[in-house]
Structures are given as structure tokens and as C-alpha cells.
Amino acid sequence: MTEKKALLLVGSPRGIEQSTSGRLGGRLLDALKERGFETDKLHVHAVVRSPTETERALAAVAWADLVVLSLPLYVDSFPAPVIALFERIAEQRVGAGRTRILLIIQCGFPESEQNATALAIAECFAAEVGWRWLGGLALGGVETYGGSAHEVLDLIGKALAEGRPAPDLAANKAMPAWLYRIGGNIMWRREAKKNGVARRLRAKPYAD
Ligand SMILES: Cc1cc2nc3c(=O)[nH]c(=O)nc-3n(C[C@H](O)[C@H](O)[C@H](O)COP(=O)(O)O)c2cc1C
């Protein structure tokens, strides 16, 4: 019988309550809880700072049969503290042959494809450590499109609780390139004005 113990690992320095990662992961955890899962959550950046907390985190990973790692994309990869914790898990082969892992990854750019390398990294990790890879929800520009992701997370929670494969995880509303350029230009002009350099946007200080 499938166990029902889910651990959410939040891999954003902004923490569990303030980050997009924490909010998305929390939503999935709530959906699992409503369907009889025991749940726990940890902020990765907080636990890796202390050896005692790291040991506690490794014990929590060993307790769980489902690990949901929710994190932001950093330079096409994971934030460093997430890598540090997952290296410890791999060294000790915590949960090998038993744990399932689902990734929720989201990035600042609007295209979800930006997350492809990080998804591949997580899948390799799962294969090497002997975890079952359940796939990943990869989202682009979530800070702009928060609402639609929540519906997908509820569906994933329902499928996992019923022992079914997760539904199509590629939930993303693509923003047309022209719209992104207009929005980006407005944002950079506003920032330049705020910092008193509105007239120097085309400056090339290192060109000469
Ligand atoms: C150091 C750093 C690196 C980042 N690298 C990328 C990147 O490679 N691609 C991208 O699309 N967004 C990148 N972002 C944007 C974040 O992924 C995005 O803002 C995310 O929504 C933050 O989620 P959080 O609130 O859970 O921390 C980066 C942000 C930071 C601070």
C-alpha cells in the first residue's frame, strides 16, 4: 500500500511564507492534506545553516515517501543551499528505493522552457539516488500569472492522493515576445528614473 507522508522542501531564500515557491508548494501540500496525507515542510536555506538542523532535515526526508521540492530557477539550476542538501541526501542515499519526488520549479522569464536544464538535473538526481521521479511542474513568469498555477496544483494533489499519475504538468501561459519587450522596456525606464539615470540608459561606459 502507498504510504501517505509528504514533505515539502522550499528552496527559496525568501522563505516559506513570502516566496512564490513556498506559496505554490504550500498549495499542493494543502491539497494532499485534504486527501489524508500527513505533511511537513522545511525551508532549505534555514536548515543547511546548522549541522543539527541538516540532520533533522535528513530525518524528515527519510520519514517521507513523497518529497515535493518547490524552488525558483537560479542561473538555469538550483539555489546553492538546495544543491548542498541534495548532495547530503545522495551521499547517505536517504530514502533510496522508496521515496518519490515531484518538482515545482518556476522562473522569472515568461517561458517555462527556461526550466528544462534544472528539470533534467532533478531527474538525474532521482535516478542516481534511487528515488522515483514523478515529474515536474515547470512555470515561467509565475509572479505575473499566479492564479492558473493553483488550479494545476490542486489537480496534481488529487491525482497523487488517488495513486494516479500526475496530469499534464506543462502549465504555462506564454507571453508573446512583443508584449514582453514592451513590459520590459517600461520596467527598465521606471527603474532608471527612480535611480536618477533616465537619460543615461544607452550609456556604454566601457566602450572606449
Ligand atoms: C540569483 C538569481 C538567479 C536567477 N536566475 C534566473 C534564471 O536563470 N532564469 C530565470 O528565468 N529567472 C531567474 N531568476 C528569477 C527567479 O527564478 C524568479 O524571480 C522566481 O519567481 C523567484 O521565486 P521565489 O519567490 O520562490 O524565490 C533568478 C533570480 C535570482 C535572485
Side-chain angles (χ1 to χ4, degrees):
M1 200 184 103
T2 316
E3 288 179 71
K4 287 190 156 190
K5 292 175 184 162
L7 174 69
L8 170 65
L9 295 174
V10 176
S12 163
R14 289 171 166 169
I16 294 180
E17 304 301 330
Q18 301 300 323
S19 66
T20 305
S21 305
R23 284 197 291 271
L24 292 174
R27 178 85 179 202
L28 176 57
L29 214 62
D30 287 347
L32 292 170
K33 213 174 190 169
E34 278 168 22
R35 292 170 178 87
F37 271 74
E38 281 178 67
T39 61
D40 196 3
K41 52 183 154 185
L42 289 175
H43 180 214
V44 176
H45 291 62
V47 301
V48 297
R49 281 192 212 118
S50 116
T52 320
E53 287 298 303
T54 303
E55 287 307 317
R56 203 173 74 81
L58 294 173
V61 171
W63 164 85
D65 68 292
L66 171 63
V67 169
V68 176
L69 173 61
S70 186
L71 76 170
L73 183 71
Y74 270 19
V75 200
D76 288 352
S77 181
F78 297 173
V82 176
I83 297 172
L85 181 65
F86 275 70
E87 280 176 352
R88 294 292 306 277
I89 293 170
E91 266 166 34
Q92 299 186 18
R93 295 187 57 80
V94 181
R98 190 175 78 92
T99 307
R100 299 173 293 154
I101 179 168
L102 180 94
L103 202 74
I104 301 173
I105 186 154
Q106 42 84 30
C107 66
F109 283 115
E111 318 85 29
S112 62
E113 293 82 11
Q114 300 280 344
N115 299 296
T117 304
L119 276 169
I121 291 170
E123 192 172 357
C124 278
F125 165 83
E128 287 201 13
V129 85
W131 286 12
R132 196 164 132 225
W133 171 242
L134 296 182
L137 172 66
L139 300 160
V142 179
E143 285 172 340
T144 324
Y145 296 123
S148 62
H150 285 169
E151 289 155 29
V152 182
L153 289 166
D154 287 345
L155 284 177
I156 295 172
K158 190 166 187 290
L160 290 175
E162 289 168 4
R164 291 187 287 110
D168 181 4
L169 299 182
N172 185 47
K173 278 189 191 165
M175 182 190 277
W178 61 267
L179 184 58
Y180 182 75
R181 280 197 294 272
I182 292 174
N185 283 338
I186 292 172
M187 189 271 289
W188 284 115
R189 283 197 196 104
R190 196 189 299 140
E191 287 296 311
K193 200 170 164 197
K194 211 162 71 189
N195 290 286
V197 290
R199 290 174 183 280
R200 289 168 48 206
L201 266 177
R202 289 176 193 273
K204 293 180 181 171
Y206 300 111
D208 302 324

